[in-house]
Amino acid sequence: LATLITAVALPYALVRAANMIDGTWTLAIERADLAGIELARTLLESQAGHRPVVLIGFSMGARTVYSCLKELARQQEIWEEQQEELELEKA
């Protein structure tokens, strides 16, 4: 009976520990992605001018920078589509 309990308890404990770590990691990734989107919006709406910006990040900061660049690329595509629509309306 003790062997059966040990055989069930050890995998159960490992799965619980993995879920706890995975949950924390997932939360950190989601927050880094949201921070990157907010950073992109801040850069686009900045009143400080259009000077070059260098984005440097390590670990979750790198994830934030990556998310920011993805959002900037998405906003660029939206802008280009709007420009094409304006050109078609003029013609």
Side-chain angles (χ1 to χ4, degrees):
L1 183 64
T3 307
L4 179 62
I5 292 173
T6 304
V8 171
L10 184 60
Y12 177 74
L14 291 174
V15 168
R16 284 197 57 175
N19 285 339
M20 183 180 70
I21 292 169
D22 187 43
T24 304
W25 185 254
T26 302
L27 179 63
I29 288 173
E30 289 173 359
R31 288 186 178 171
D33 288 341
L34 291 174
I37 292 170
E38 188 61 34
L39 177 59
R41 288 183 185 151
T42 302
L43 290 173
L44 289 171
E45 297 171 1
S46 174
Q47 300 297 325
H50 298 288
R51 56 181 173 251
V53 176
V54 177
L55 301 174
I56 300 172
F58 177 76
S59 188
M60 282 300 148
R63 178 71 183 218
T64 301
V65 169
Y66 175 69
S67 177
C68 175
L69 293 174
K70 284 191 336 184
E71 180 65 17
L72 289 172
R74 190 178 74 79
Q75 292 293 330
Q76 177 70 26
E77 289 175 0
I78 292 170
W79 182 82
E80 288 174 356
E81 289 173 3
Q82 290 174 347
Q83 294 302 313
E84 289 175 4
E85 289 174 6
L86 287 174
E87 287 179 9
L88 289 175
E89 289 177 4
K90 288 180 183 179

